[in-house]
Amino acid sequence: MKNHTLGFPRIGAKRELKKAIESYWAKNCDQNELQKVAADIRANNWKKQQDAGIDLIPVNDFSFYDQVLDLTLTLGAIPERYQELANDENVSELDLYFAMARGLQTAKHDITAMEMTKWFDTNYHYIVPEFVKNQSFQFLSKKISREYKEAVALGINAKPVLISPASYLLLGKEKEDGFDKLDLIDDLLFVYKQIIEELQDLGATQIQIDEPFLALTLSDKEKFVIQKTHQFLAKSFPKVEIIITTYFDDVVDNLELAITLPVKVLHVDLTRGDELQLEKILKSDFKNKNTILSLGLVDGRNIWKNDFSKSIKKINKAKEILGNDRVWIAPSSSLLHVPVDLKSEQKLDEELLSWLSFATQKLEEVVVLSNLGTHPSNADLLALEANKKAIETRRESVRIHKFHVKNRESFIEEKDAQRTSAFVHRKQLQKQALDLPLYPTTTIGSFPQTPEVRSWRAQYKKGLLFQEEYQSLLEEETAASIKFQEEIGLDVLVHGEFERNDMVEYFGEQLEGFAFTQFGWVQSYGTRCVKPPIIFGDVERLKSMTLGWTVYAQSLTKKYVKGMLTGPVTILQWSFVRDDQPRKTTCNQIALAIRDEVVDLEKAGIKIIQIDEPAIREGLPLKKANWNTYLDWSVKAFRLSASGVKDETQIHTHMCYSEFNDIIESIADMDADVITIECSRSQMELLDVFAEFNYPNEIGPGVYDIHSPRVPLVDEVVDLIEKAEKYVPKENIWINPDCGLKTRKWPETKKALEIMVKAAQQIREKVVVSC
């Protein structure tokens, strides 16, 4: 019974890769130094898996920014606007790669970044491939070959990892009309053949092909393309063992397709989806084939310790039908989505630590489970007993359950999640109360967290700054940001969030039922890493969380300052959530806590309150059949958080990097007075669905991309606003950036916001002239 992993975190235990890349971008180190850091991380990851006893170790799971972008460069699918860079012999492959991810603005070049969106239902973001009608592919970047040779030289039993050609096409977007991206499959397969031929020549005998779309609802054409892909690969490479991996949900809807694919190993995620998936596979014709079944038993997306007793039952069930040799053990997915090593944590208490498992510990779980399924040693049996004790201790712990919190959540009524009046009435009251101009300008919430701000926080946490000193420094920073916003003419201001480390962690630190790590970093996109809180128990708010800073900022100006909160669904989605009660219940508990904060802000005189929900779309189950149940409770949770205020109080929400087409009705049901959304990279294409739906409420389409250091031109912003006018009535349009500005630097931020305000002023002047 073999074991293997699908991927390992690449940022480094203490974000070494992030620091090296950002140093490279700032020109504080050269490419050789950056490549050295990357090589060390890869070697450490491979050695760690080898030392843990992993039989088959993935390579090409490392990435400087994103694995989909890696593949785009490998396949030479470079959009036209980057061709000048690609043809410039003075531009390295890595610099071209970063330009595609972030855009590039120099004296010689001004190129926008590629679009970014969520990776299935995770908080990871990928760079969306762009396809045109006559799209060409070529084996361009040799990254996968270089890293395979690197691993083999270190004595690693390596399996190269590739996203399937079919899934790659499904992840992309057609950038012109008149063709179906799936029709590009033949040209793409030709290049995949070249890639695998080179890997085979280097000695690769087993290759992991990720086919995540097998866990989704597929059209007949999509099924055909997946089948065609694997028939082609099997025919072209009879001596290569293909390990096809699915994850994030079950394959039950596509079971007939999955079990007939000509592959050596089929990997399935047994931690999500249909609980009877394993039984259905074992009862199917799969048992009569020679294909190996890889059991994804160890959760690759959450940090709770695996329940060995439950996993062993599944292993034994599979062994009984298939035999030892046709059963492999693995995590459910790549371990990219969990922190690196629990041993780095020095501040979590022993009881909580005993319930947890990070990527390094999950390697140990995989190995112990594979041993327990065959010939366990005394150490394996001791590990089983220790596991049973930890599982039981968690189940019985009194720190998890608060019955007054459970009681409040159980008595939520329908009226608690409804505003007093419909939007059409609220809009008139808010217009009279707020008296804002046409095309009001604002930002999404956060301002740049400079090295100084971060150092103050670090010193404060280490006890090197007294509370009074820290407070004073942050007040000065907040006052400066208010002054800047007034000077450039923004209409609705924000306090800047300098006191906040992360939009979820900040709130979790002030809520009961949350725990926090020191080094629990996971990658969100590029060099952006987050430290998700751990929701281990019932959630409640004991005191106000944002009132002090919001009221202070409001006292500095006569303009409106928004109250800035993170919504209940996003706090849930961007945390490691307890798995001992329904997610709906936990979400409602968080919603009640946010509701109390919203009510307190209104009582303090705050007229505009933003409740960010960027994660609602990513929480959708992968199976469309399960969408309505999720959307029902998630939208109600948002409304529960927002509905405790008067009609005159304006509720905003923010959503970013999501496809809204299939959930537009639910977005409307959220009933926010104003929604701000990411739009600039898509050139306002995302507004099309709002127009088709006749979305009634107000919208702030992002007019410049905050994930790129590039500063837009006034004419570009004006053009985007004018495009927005084609979709949305002008009296419903707000002007704002795509997202918060925390990760940007002040010089580019100031220039971009000044340009944004100038563009809004120009549009207003055009309206006056036209009238």
Side-chain angles (χ1 to χ4, degrees):
M1 185 179 293
K2 283 189 176 181
N3 62 63
H4 66 126
T5 55
L6 279 63
F8 200 77
R10 60 238 189 169
I11 58 173
K14 297 185 179 177
R15 298 179 296 163
E16 292 87 350
L17 185 63
K18 166 193 171 68
K19 295 168 187 174
I21 292 173
E22 291 180 352
S23 177
Y24 177 71
W25 290 343
K27 302 189 186 306
N28 293 326
C29 76
D30 62 24
Q31 197 167 129
N32 289 333
E33 293 172 285
L34 174 58
Q35 292 286 5
K36 173 67 166 59
V37 172
D40 287 346
I41 290 172
R42 289 193 294 269
N44 288 336
N45 285 353
W46 295 330
K47 187 72 162 53
K48 182 172 288 190
Q49 293 173 80
Q50 185 182 58
D51 290 348
I54 299 298
D55 295 322
L56 202 52
I57 297 170
V59 299
N60 200 40
D61 56 331
F62 174 85
S63 177
F64 280 110
Y65 203 96
D66 164 52
Q67 70 269 14
V68 182
L69 181 61
D70 292 350
L71 184 54
T72 293
L73 197 60
T74 297
L75 298 171
I78 302 169
E80 178 62 32
R81 62 188 180 277
Y82 303 104
Q83 285 302 325
E84 185 180 349
L85 278 182
N87 296 331
D88 188 338
E89 61 183 17
N90 295 316
V91 176
S92 69
E93 179 180 291
L94 188 60
D95 287 336
L96 169 62
Y97 173 86
F98 284 139
M100 292 165 69
R102 306 172 70 233
L104 182 66
Q105 191 171 47
T106 65
K108 188 177 178 182
H109 300 288
D110 192 359
I111 313 172
T112 56
M114 294 176 71
E115 190 175 342
M116 183 165 65
T117 196
K118 301 282 181 146
W119 177 250
F120 298 94
D121 59 347
T122 74
N123 185 33
Y124 179 77
H125 304 65
Y126 75 93
I127 302 296
V128 181
E130 299 178 9
F131 304 128
V132 293
K133 190 173 184 178
N134 297 313
Q135 181 69 52
S136 63
F137 299 102
Q138 61 174 309
F139 187 9
L140 182 63
S141 171
K142 300 299 179 76
K143 171 184 180 294
I144 188 170
S145 303
R146 291 194 299 267
E147 291 182 9
Y148 178 73
K149 288 190 287 186
E150 196 177 312
V152 170
L154 293 173
I156 301 299
N157 188 23
K159 56 165 178 173
V161 177
L162 277 166
I163 296 170
S164 151
S167 284
Y168 177 71
L169 291 175
L170 290 168
L171 288 166
K173 178 180 281 191
E174 295 109 338
K175 299 303 287 185
E176 61 184 23
D177 296 330
F179 80 106
D180 183 341
K181 60 191 178 186
L182 290 177
D183 293 336
L184 302 172
I185 188 64
D186 289 335
D187 290 340
L188 191 56
L189 285 172
F190 178 77
V191 180
Y192 267 75
K193 186 180 180 188
Q194 293 178 314
I195 296 169
I196 296 175
E197 281 175 346
E198 181 161 302
L199 291 169
Q200 189 175 32
D201 289 343
L202 291 172
T205 58
Q206 296 170 309
I207 296 179
Q208 177 180 313
I209 302 289
D210 287 358
E211 198 73 87
F213 281 90
L214 267 179
L216 275 67
T217 304
L218 296 172
S219 68
D220 288 342
K221 185 171 184 178
E222 289 166 346
K223 290 179 181 179
F224 171 77
V225 171
I226 289 174
Q227 189 172 50
K228 180 177 183 176
T229 291
H230 292 282
Q231 287 175 342
F232 174 85
L233 294 178
K235 184 178 179 180
S236 301
F237 301 102
K239 295 182 180 180
V240 174
E241 296 181 348
I242 299 295
I243 303 163
I244 186 172
T245 59
T246 69
Y247 36 79
F248 303 155
D249 211 321
D250 63 71
V251 298
V252 170
D253 289 353
N254 300 307
L255 184 55
E256 184 178 351
L257 171 62
I259 66 175
T260 57
L261 294 175
V263 297
K264 180 68 175 178
V265 182
L266 171 65
H267 170 84
V268 294
D269 183 339
L270 294 179
T271 67
R272 279 172 171 72
D274 191 335
E275 293 183 359
L276 297 178
Q277 176 182 207
L278 179 59
E279 285 80 353
K280 291 177 180 179
I281 292 172
L282 296 176
K283 287 179 181 178
S284 74
D285 195 44
F286 184 86
K287 63 180 179 290
N288 299 319
K289 300 179 180 296
N290 294 319
T291 311
I292 292 167
L293 185 63
S294 168
L295 307 181
L297 293 167
V298 175
D299 195 341
R301 287 182 53 183
N302 213 335
I303 45 69
W304 303 107
K305 185 164 285 187
N306 183 269
D307 187 333
F308 284 176
S309 296
K310 289 182 178 179
S311 293
I312 290 168
K313 288 179 182 178
K314 293 178 181 178
I315 293 170
N316 289 337
K317 196 172 293 184
K319 279 171 50 183
E320 183 180 344
I321 303 298
L322 304 176
N324 277 1
D325 292 342
R326 286 185 61 197
V327 177
W328 286 11
I329 309 300
S332 60
S333 65
S334 168
L335 298 175
L336 170 71
H337 309 286
V338 295
V340 176
D341 195 348
L342 192 60
K343 290 179 181 177
S344 300
E345 301 302 324
Q346 302 297 318
K347 295 186 178 180
L348 292 176
D349 64 81
E350 288 299 319
E351 182 182 47
L352 187 56
L353 279 171
S354 73
W355 302 342
L356 304 180
S357 177
F358 289 179
T360 302
Q361 288 67 46
K362 289 179 186 293
L363 300 176
E364 297 165 5
E365 290 180 334
V366 166
V367 172
V368 170
L369 284 172
S370 62
N371 291 342
L372 289 171
T374 49
H375 304 291
S377 66
N378 286 335
D380 296 319
L381 295 174
L382 288 172
L384 174 61
E385 291 307 310
N387 180 269
K388 287 179 180 178
K389 182 178 179 181
I391 298 298
E392 186 64 24
T393 300
R394 181 182 168 213
R395 186 181 299 119
E396 296 180 351
S397 176
V398 295
R399 69 193 291 190
I400 290 175
H401 305 289
K402 295 190 174 184
F403 292 102
H404 64 283
V405 175
K406 296 181 188 296
N407 193 51
R408 185 184 181 194
E409 190 275 335
S410 68
F411 282 98
I412 294 171
E413 299 180 24
E414 193 68 31
K415 65 180 178 63
D416 296 327
Q418 295 175 347
R419 298 289 294 273
T420 304
S421 303
F423 172 72
V424 65
H425 178 67
R426 299 198 308 268
K427 181 176 181 178
Q428 294 306 314
L429 293 176
Q430 291 166 14
K431 185 176 181 180
Q432 294 169 13
L434 299 175
D435 192 29
L436 293 169
L438 197 62
Y439 305 102
T441 56
T442 189
T443 65
I444 302 304
S446 60
F447 274 136
Q449 295 234 341
T450 62
E452 291 78 15
V453 171
R454 295 176 188 276
S455 70
W456 299 337
R457 185 182 303 120
Q459 290 177 62
Y460 174 64
K461 287 188 173 183
K462 292 176 182 177
L464 302 176
L465 266 184
F466 290 117
Q467 168 68 36
E468 294 80 7
E469 295 175 281
Y470 184 53
Q471 180 88 7
S472 177
L473 289 167
L474 293 183
E475 285 177 355
E476 290 175 15
E477 198 76 9
T478 302
S481 78
I482 293 291
K483 183 180 179 184
F484 162 69
Q485 293 172 82
E486 286 185 318
E487 287 174 347
I488 66 170
L490 282 168
D491 300 304
V492 175
L493 316 186
V494 297
H495 76 283
E497 304 180 14
F498 302 108
E499 77 286 3
R500 304 185 188 183
N501 42 12
D502 174 83
M503 66 182 290
V504 172
E505 185 176 358
Y506 176 78
F507 289 94
E509 285 178 339
Q510 301 181 79
L511 293 168
E512 295 291 297
F514 283 75
F516 297 88
T517 63
Q518 292 171 277
F519 303 105
W521 297 102
V522 294
Q523 185 181 16
S524 178
Y525 64 85
T527 61
R528 169 75 170 143
C529 302
V530 294
K531 245 192 322 156
I534 299 168
I535 305 177
F536 68 86
D538 289 329
V539 177
E540 68 174 330
R541 166 189 177 268
L542 299 181
K543 60 182 181 179
S544 66
M545 301 178 284
T546 67
L547 194 61
W549 284 109
T550 309
V551 170
Y552 169 70
Q554 185 64 79
S555 73
L556 301 174
T557 180
K558 292 182 179 179
K559 290 192 172 185
Y560 299 110
V561 174
K562 287 192 286 189
M564 297 301 306
L565 306 171
T566 302
V569 182
T570 296
I571 291 177
L572 183 87
Q573 286 295 130
W574 292 359
S575 299
F576 293 122
V577 184
R578 58 189 293 190
D579 57 0
D580 62 337
Q581 71 177 13
R583 291 171 71 86
K584 171 185 174 181
T585 302
T586 303
C587 196
N588 280 340
Q589 291 178 355
I590 301 168
L592 289 169
I594 299 299
R595 179 189 180 94
D596 293 344
E597 187 74 11
V598 170
V599 170
D600 279 355
L601 285 167
E602 184 189 57
K603 286 178 181 177
I606 304 304
K607 305 295 185 185
I608 303 175
I609 301 169
Q610 183 169 309
I611 307 171
D612 288 342
E613 282 292 19
I616 278 202
R617 177 64 175 79
E618 79 183 40
L620 275 176
L622 298 188
K623 300 282 196 306
K624 287 191 176 181
N626 300 325
W627 282 15
N628 286 342
T629 299
Y630 163 77
L631 288 169
D632 179 63
W633 65 254
S634 62
V635 168
K636 283 183 179 176
F638 173 81
R639 292 208 316 252
L640 179 64
S641 72
S643 295
V645 294
K646 301 173 185 176
D647 288 343
E648 291 83 356
T649 298
Q650 192 173 72
I651 296 293
H652 291 220
T653 192
H654 173 65
M655 303 176 78
C656 57
Y657 295 103
S658 294
E659 295 291 340
F660 302 117
N661 302 50
D662 37 21
I663 63 166
I664 185 63
E665 188 172 345
S666 296
I667 293 173
D669 287 344
M670 291 170 68
D671 199 26
D673 299 306
V674 180
I675 179 173
T676 55
I677 59 173
E678 176 276 327
C679 262
S680 66
R681 286 197 183 191
S682 70
Q683 291 292 301
M684 297 292 161
E685 287 178 10
L686 289 176
L687 285 179
D688 186 51
V689 67
F690 287 86
E692 288 182 9
F693 183 77
N694 197 22
Y695 184 79
N697 300 24
E698 298 179 22
I699 306 178
V703 295
Y704 82 87
D705 177 17
I706 69 89
H707 295 286
S708 168
R710 181 181 175 274
V711 176
L713 304 174
V714 174
D715 288 348
E716 289 177 41
V717 178
V718 169
D719 179 59
L720 286 175
I721 297 171
E722 289 176 340
K723 284 181 179 177
E725 289 177 325
K726 296 176 182 177
Y727 299 100
V728 182
K730 60 180 179 292
E731 60 271 15
N732 282 6
I733 296 177
W734 284 64
I735 310 299
N736 45 263
D738 269 343
C739 203
L741 298 162
K742 174 184 174 182
T743 60
R744 301 269 49 95
K745 299 187 185 306
W746 266 118
E748 72 203 45
T749 295
K750 289 182 176 181
K751 289 177 185 176
L753 289 178
E754 287 167 358
I755 284 169
M756 185 186 83
V757 172
K758 286 179 183 176
Q761 290 167 346
Q762 285 190 21
I763 290 288
R764 288 173 190 157
E765 290 168 4
K766 287 184 180 182
V767 171
V768 171
V769 170
S770 66
C771 292

